[in-house]
């Protein structure tokens, strides 16, 4: 007999909790949403409904991956950043909440007397998923921007995020090593590159050490 949605979530929560996952209940609920394609409201309303066999297989796989230390954002392929969902993959770092402080600082600067009302030109060095540049363009509708990266896979992902979030016509992405090949004037330049020494990565949490791309591998698609 199939498990109900409610029972499947409870079982997964216990499995994750026993495995030392601090956010077991939240992670189980999120992964069940991804596995079923249902909203949180639908899961609550239909909690006693049976979980279909394909969804159960998918859900069990997600739970096993989370138990092995893979971040929920990597499993679902998206990360919320500044209130928007960004696609992420093996080519890019997982955007962190503290990076939002950089966006806030730029927006504060853009609202100062020296920048207010100007059609700003932005440059994001090492754009990765494009989360910083795309967010700034979404918040500054008169701005245009360029994002650079040495990883072609990251650039493709950033373009997809820009298009999905409605700023693709104001964003340009270029393969470049920092300022290499760039010309022209930019009003604001931002960057949040990898800043952890390679020798220290193995000592970090599994979510980072095993699933974020290492700096030396970000110049080319990961295998």
């Amino acid at each position: 007999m199939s498990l109900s949605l409610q029972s499947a979530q409870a079982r997964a929560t216990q499995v994750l909790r026993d495995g030392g996952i601090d956010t077991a209940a939240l992670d189980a609920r999120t992964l069940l949403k991804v596995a079923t394609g249902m909203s949180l409201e639908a899961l609550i309303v239909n909690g006693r409904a049976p979980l279909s066999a394909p969804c159960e297989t998918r859900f069990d796989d997600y739970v096993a991956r989370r138990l092995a230390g893979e971040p929920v954002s990597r499993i679902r392929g998206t990360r919320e950043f500044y209130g928007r969902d960004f696609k992420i993959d093996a080519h890019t770092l997982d955007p962190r909440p503290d990076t939002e402080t950089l966006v806030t600082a730029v927006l504060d600067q853009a609202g100062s007397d020296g920048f207010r009302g100007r059609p700003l030109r932005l440059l994001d060095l090492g754009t990765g998923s494009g989360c910083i540049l795309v967010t700034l363009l979404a918040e500054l509708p008169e701005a245009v921007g360029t994002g650079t990266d040495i990883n072609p896979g990251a650039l493709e992902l950033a373009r997809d995020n820009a298009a999905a979030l409605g700023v693709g016509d104001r964003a340009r992405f270029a393969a470049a090593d920092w300022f290499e090949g760039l010309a022209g004037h930019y009003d604001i330049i931002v960057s949040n590159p990898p800043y952890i020494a390679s020798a220290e990565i193995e000592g970090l949490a599994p979510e980072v050490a095993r699933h974020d791309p290492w700096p030396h591998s970000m110049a080319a698609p990961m295998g």
Side-chain angles (χ1 to χ4, degrees), residues 5-220:
L5 293 167
Q6 190 176 64
S7 297
Q9 181 178 326
R11 183 183 67 176
T13 297
Q14 190 60 53
V15 168
L16 293 174
R17 185 174 290 126
D18 290 345
I21 304 298
D22 293 336
T23 53
L26 174 61
D27 292 356
R29 182 170 67 244
T30 301
L31 294 176
L32 185 59
K33 286 168 55 182
V34 177
T36 61
M38 298 172 70
S39 67
L40 174 59
E41 292 77 11
L43 286 178
I44 294 173
V45 171
N46 299 287
R48 296 183 181 278
L51 180 64
S52 70
C55 287
E56 183 174 2
T57 298
R58 190 158 50 243
F59 183 46
D60 288 346
D61 174 63
Y62 292 165
V63 171
R65 289 166 62 182
R66 182 68 190 105
L67 197 61
E70 187 171 355
V72 171
S73 56
R74 294 283 180 192
I75 297 171
R76 67 183 181 187
T78 62
R79 160 73 82 167
E80 183 179 331
F81 182 84
Y82 222 82
R84 299 175 177 88
D85 282 335
F86 284 82
K87 291 192 292 185
I88 61 171
D89 62 18
H91 299 98
T92 67
L93 295 174
D94 190 343
R96 303 298 198 266
D98 54 355
T99 304
E100 295 182 356
T101 60
L102 174 58
V103 171
T104 299
V106 173
L107 293 176
D108 289 344
Q109 183 67 30
S112 66
D113 290 339
F115 291 101
R116 187 177 292 114
R118 289 172 51 184
L120 300 175
R121 295 188 67 209
L122 312 176
L123 174 61
D124 180 18
L125 299 172
T127 194
S129 64
C131 64
I132 296 173
L133 180 63
V134 170
T135 299
L136 290 173
L137 292 178
E139 297 291 328
L140 301 169
E142 294 184 357
V144 297
T146 297
T148 69
D149 208 292
I150 57 175
N151 186 333
L155 291 171
E156 182 178 351
L157 184 69
R159 290 189 189 97
D160 289 346
N161 280 324
L165 292 169
V167 301
D169 59 333
R170 293 186 287 122
R172 183 176 76 90
F173 295 96
D177 187 358
W178 299 113
F179 292 97
E180 181 184 51
L182 296 178
H185 169 80
Y186 294 93
D187 298 292
I188 297 177
I189 299 174
V190 296
S191 183
N192 186 33
Y195 50 81
I196 298 174
S198 296
E200 299 177 6
I201 293 178
E202 285 287 4
L204 300 177
E207 286 84 349
V208 177
R210 298 177 189 169
H211 299 285
D212 268 358
W214 282 42
H216 64 73
S217 66
M218 294 177 72

